[in-house]
């Protein structure tokens, strides 16, 4: 049996990656640093995934898995040496720690199985991180380990195009929408054609730039606007006429900029951003989608990245700026980044805060427009 190690057993790791590979007959191995994530999986011995396809909602029960904690004893070592593929659904700031922990595992593999070829697939919305991630994974290797790693391991980026949600990272009841593939940067050392929703493709950096703005930008708009109205789920926000109108405006503006910025065909664009309607209602939470507004409002990300493209090409960004202003109004007390953002707005003022977190000078057109929209929304 082929085996995949999933580093990070949260919503995405369980609800998308594990469910998909389990369906294909692979063994699943989880590695996580959070004891509660492991405890909940071990206590139940299974987890449940509601898979929202275009024609049916499937209720899947996953039992064929093993769990390991990032412990000092390296209890995962024996299983790691049997792994065919490693997938890392992590936040950007977590890759350094993952690379440090896995270094001894790669050292052992280089000795035990010197001819083994490995592929690591990173799942994060931030683009152009692979050189930095590679540096993290090689930093703690010996010279011989680095040489083996460079010759036998490839680290590849990917584009995630599905919503997966649960009450928490350690929840064992998960919902996921299965209508689009994970796009994976090629070439890879280990093929997995039998695994549904895994697709190796080219031009990943360009496509990811487009996806982060053209898909995640409108999605963030729904979350920030929905929070402002006291809503709890993305479907509720989509059903609100005022929010839906803003999302459409944001989408139209982003696509106008994308068409001028990138050498992408209409067919490629449609294939990248079109999501077939899924069966049933996926209860995707506003909390999940809006989480960490500091990252999501930063330069080059979702909305600020789209606004910068539109300014460069003389396209309107009125709707995008309003969505960004709603992001600066996002004050969810359970979100540490939102708390920090609101604290800085109170202490620095909105102009300084927008400049600080978007990375543009205070006199930049984007900062001025976002501040204008913010003050209008505040009344």
């Amino acid at each position: 049996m082929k085996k995949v190690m999933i580093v990070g057993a949260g919503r995405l790791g369980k609800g998308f990656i594990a469910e998909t590979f389990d369906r294909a007959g692979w063994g699943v191995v989880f590695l996580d640093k959070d004891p509660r994530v492991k405890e909940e999986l071990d206590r139940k011995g299974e987890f449940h995934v509601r898979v929202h396809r275009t024609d049916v909602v499937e209720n899947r029960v996953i039992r064929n898995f093993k769990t390991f904690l990032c412990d000092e004893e390296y209890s995962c070592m024996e299983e790691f040496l049997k792994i065919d593929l490693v997938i890392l659904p992590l936040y950007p700031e977590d890759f350094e720690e993952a690379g440090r922990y896995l270094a001894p595992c790669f050292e052992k593999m280089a000795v035990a199985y010197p001819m083994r070829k490995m592929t690591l697939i990173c799942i994060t919305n931030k683009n152009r991180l692979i050189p930095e991630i590679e540096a993290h994974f090689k930093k703690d290797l010996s010279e011989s380990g680095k040489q083996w790693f460079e010759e036998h391991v490839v680290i590849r980026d990917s584009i995630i195009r599905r919503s997966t949600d649960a009450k928490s990272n350690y929840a064992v009841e998960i919902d996921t929408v299965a209508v689009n593939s994970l796009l994976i940067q090629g070439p890879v050392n280990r093929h997995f054609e039998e695994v549904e929703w895994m697709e190796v493709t080219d031009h990943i950096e360009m496509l990811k730039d487009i996806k982060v703005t053209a898909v995640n930008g409108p999605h963030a708009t729904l979350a920030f606007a929905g929070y402002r109205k006291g809503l709890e789920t993305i479907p509720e926000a989509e059903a609100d006429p005022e929010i839906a109108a803003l999302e459409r405006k944001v989408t139209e503006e982003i696509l106008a900029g994308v068409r001028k910025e990138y050498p992408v065909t209409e067919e490629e664009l449609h294939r990248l951003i079109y999501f077939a309607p899924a069966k049933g209602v996926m209860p995707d939470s506003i909390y999940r989608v809006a989480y960490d507004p500091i990252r999501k409002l930063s330069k080059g990300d979702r909305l600020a990245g789209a606004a910068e493209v539109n300014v460069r090409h003389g396209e309107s960004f009125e709707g995008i700026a309003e969505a960004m202003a709603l992001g600066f109004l996002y004050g969810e007390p359970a979100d540490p980044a939102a708390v920090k953002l609101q604290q800085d707005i109170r202490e620095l003022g909105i102009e300084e805060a927008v400049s600080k977190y978007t990375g543009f000078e205070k006199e930049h057109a984007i900062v001025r427009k976002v501040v204008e929209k913010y003050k209008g929304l505040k009344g």
Side-chain angles (χ1 to χ4, degrees):
M1 175 187 290
K2 292 181 180 179
K3 291 189 177 185
V4 58
M5 174 172 278
I6 303 168
V7 182
R11 299 171 176 87
L12 196 60
K14 293 191 291 280
F16 174 21
I17 306 303
E19 188 279 326
T20 300
F21 278 86
D22 175 81
R23 184 189 294 269
W26 286 49
V28 172
V29 178
F30 288 117
L31 177 64
D32 204 286
K33 65 180 181 179
D34 186 343
R36 186 167 181 184
V37 170
K38 175 175 166 54
E39 287 166 9
E40 290 297 317
L41 284 168
D42 290 347
R43 184 172 65 85
K44 292 283 188 178
E46 63 184 37
F47 60 93
H48 300 180
V49 185
R50 285 179 293 274
V51 184
H52 298 253
R53 292 174 173 264
T54 56
D55 56 346
V56 68
V57 178
E58 297 178 337
N59 291 293
R60 296 262 291 129
V61 180
I62 315 300
R63 299 188 179 96
N64 181 32
F65 62 86
K66 295 181 180 181
T67 62
F68 294 93
L69 197 62
C70 294
D71 52 32
E72 294 180 359
E73 297 76 26
Y74 277 86
S75 56
C76 68
M77 183 68 77
E78 184 178 346
E79 282 298 322
F80 183 86
L81 296 178
K82 303 173 186 175
I83 291 301
D84 295 281
L85 182 67
V86 178
I87 300 186
L88 303 101
L90 299 173
Y91 289 116
E93 60 269 22
D94 293 329
F95 282 99
E96 182 174 8
E97 186 176 4
R100 186 184 309 117
Y101 185 80
L102 289 174
C105 297
F106 285 112
E107 292 279 6
K108 187 71 174 287
M109 183 174 283
V111 174
Y113 301 100
M115 301 310 294
R116 176 78 62 85
K117 295 283 189 178
M118 293 289 293
T119 299
L120 279 61
I121 299 173
C122 304
I123 303 181
T124 175
N125 276 319
K126 196 167 182 64
N127 204 359
R128 296 177 174 80
L129 283 183
I130 298 304
E132 180 181 326
I133 293 171
E134 287 183 350
H136 290 324
F137 272 81
K138 291 191 289 188
K139 181 180 178 181
D140 294 301
L141 295 175
S142 65
E143 287 305 313
S144 60
K146 286 179 184 176
Q147 183 176 348
W148 178 87
F149 192 95
E150 290 170 354
E151 294 174 355
H152 293 81
V153 181
V154 294
I155 302 180
R156 297 297 184 237
D157 204 352
S158 66
I159 301 175
I160 179 72
R161 300 186 299 162
R162 72 156 70 184
S163 294
T164 301
D165 201 15
K167 290 182 179 179
S168 67
N169 274 337
Y170 49 82
V172 292
E173 299 285 341
I174 308 157
D175 281 88
T176 189
V177 174
V179 297
N180 290 83
S181 299
L182 180 75
L183 300 180
I184 300 166
Q185 179 184 29
V188 294
N189 282 340
R190 177 71 63 172
H191 292 279
F192 31 83
E193 292 91 345
E194 75 279 16
V195 184
E196 188 181 22
W197 306 121
M198 299 287 150
E199 181 181 346
V200 178
T201 190
D202 298 322
H203 313 299
I204 205 81
E205 286 188 347
M206 180 188 77
L207 294 176
K208 193 165 187 174
D209 275 343
I210 296 171
K211 184 265 178 182
V212 168
T213 56
V215 175
N216 295 75
H219 210 204
T221 301
L222 290 169
F224 294 145
Y227 179 84
R228 179 73 170 163
K229 287 199 170 188
L231 306 179
E232 294 186 356
T233 70
I234 294 299
E236 288 176 320
E238 290 173 323
D240 182 287
E242 186 178 13
I243 296 175
L246 176 60
E247 185 213 15
R248 286 194 299 273
K249 184 176 183 181
V250 169
T251 301
E252 290 168 1
E253 289 177 355
I254 290 175
L255 292 180
V258 162
R259 290 185 176 99
K260 289 188 174 180
E261 178 78 1
Y262 301 101
V264 60
T265 67
E266 287 300 314
E267 180 181 351
E268 289 173 325
L269 188 56
H270 177 79
R271 180 171 171 274
L272 179 66
I273 69 173
Y274 174 71
F275 289 74
K279 189 76 171 179
V281 177
M282 161 74 181
D284 203 0
S285 67
I286 281 172
Y287 176 79
R288 183 193 75 82
V289 178
Y291 188 80
D292 193 359
I294 288 176
R295 175 168 57 88
K296 291 171 180 175
L297 290 166
S298 65
K299 190 173 186 178
D301 212 294
R302 293 162 174 79
L303 297 164
E308 187 174 21
V309 166
N310 282 31
V311 167
R312 183 155 56 244
H313 293 286
E315 293 289 339
S316 170
F317 63 100
E318 288 282 331
I320 300 170
E322 183 173 344
M324 291 175 68
L326 287 163
F328 280 97
L329 285 164
Y330 178 70
E332 170 55 52
D335 185 334
V339 173
K340 169 64 175 171
L341 181 63
Q342 296 310 311
Q343 179 182 346
D344 274 4
I345 290 172
R346 289 191 297 272
E347 294 178 358
L348 303 175
I350 185 60
E351 291 89 351
E352 195 70 46
V354 172
S355 175
K356 174 181 177 179
Y357 287 113
T358 62
F360 299 112
E361 297 293 331
K362 281 195 292 184
E363 293 306 312
H364 195 285
I366 293 173
V367 174
R368 287 190 279 108
K369 181 60 69 175
V370 171
V371 170
E372 174 192 318
K373 296 288 186 180
Y374 178 92
K375 290 179 177 179
L377 289 166
K378 286 278 284 187

